[in-house]
Amino acid sequence: MNRNDRLVLIAAAIVGVLVLTGIYFLGRGNEEGERTMDDGRWKKEDGRSKKEGVPYAATQVQQPETFYFDPNTADSTQLLRLGLQPWQIRNVYKYRERGGVYRKKEDFAHLYGLTVKDYRRLEPYIRISPDYLPASTLVKGRKDSAYRKDSTYSNYKKDYPAKLRETEHLVLNTADTAQLQRVPGIGKYYAREIVRYGNWLGGYVSVDQLDEIDGFPQAAKKYFVVQQTQPKRLNVNKLSLQQLRRHPYINYYQAKAITDYRRLHGRIEDIRQLRLSPDFTEHDFQRLTPYMEY
């Protein structure tokens, strides 16, 4: 290459280096600018979200409370205390604004997003004022307006029987569903569950067995007593595997362990003879003992 060609080649190389350097710094500047804009936008959005979230964060309670309320008149503060979510409270307000009325407690179960567990917890505390009953109840088959008014009120009292006082108690194994609904915190659902589970057990031997009912309100236990317990007993030497496993305290593997022990070792004199079986624990023996017969 002659001298002129070399000069041209060197100049072209210098220009190329400058161009690449300029592109690199321009691209980096754009990235930093975009990052700065994104950071600013993120901070702005974050600030807005925090600002928008303050009312609910400041007022929403962590542990739901239970108290008597009327869904037709309860305000947002009360509904938050009951454990409803803000968007559920908005739905309640929208329903009332459109002229919707909760005429019976079952109507509240239609609230969007309300779970079965939440409804069972709230159902005993729902109180619908007679003012929201259908107007037809005032004139149905009666001409005396004073009598009709008293009749409506008596129906309201019939739906919501007077609750027990702090010093009053019910005998757990003899109370029926109507009596059980007089216990604060106990509605129709838990009244039926108490009777159903007691029949399944063969009778309660302790008030603490109510804890075995899913979601049972702890505050209601103090109103119950167990007297002269005579539970239905299981004869472990005569019952078949299928009959044994019907009891809520005996699963399939435990029933099989009992029948296998009878087959291999003969008559069972004490349920603790199965203490070497991996299917039984000391807790199992303690709660099974009152229901065993030999």
Side-chain angles (χ1 to χ4, degrees), residues 19-39:
V19 170
L20 292 175
T21 302
I23 292 173
Y24 171 78
F25 282 108
L26 286 174
R28 185 173 179 181
N30 290 335
E31 290 178 358
E32 291 178 354
E34 292 175 358
R35 189 181 300 112
T36 301
M37 292 176 63
D38 290 340
D39 290 344

Side-chain angles (χ1 to χ4, degrees), residues 32-102:
E32 291 178 354
E34 292 175 358
R35 189 181 300 112
T36 301
M37 292 176 63
D38 290 340
D39 290 344
R41 183 167 58 253
W42 180 83
K43 290 178 181 177
K44 182 178 179 181
E45 292 175 354
D46 183 67
R48 184 173 63 250
S49 64
K50 288 182 179 178
K51 182 178 179 182
E52 293 175 352
V54 165
Y56 295 121
T59 57
Q60 189 172 11
V61 294
Q62 297 296 325
Q63 184 66 29
E65 301 178 34
T66 49
F67 51 85
Y68 296 117
F69 72 100
D70 187 337
N72 291 299
T73 57
D75 59 24
S76 59
T77 302
Q78 292 174 315
L79 295 174
L80 279 171
R81 288 171 55 202
L82 289 166
L84 296 185
Q85 298 299 318
W87 54 271
Q88 291 177 309
I89 296 172
R90 287 195 293 270
N91 288 340
V92 172
Y93 272 73
K94 289 179 181 177
Y95 177 73
R96 298 193 311 210
E97 289 172 358
R98 292 195 299 267
V101 175
Y102 297 98

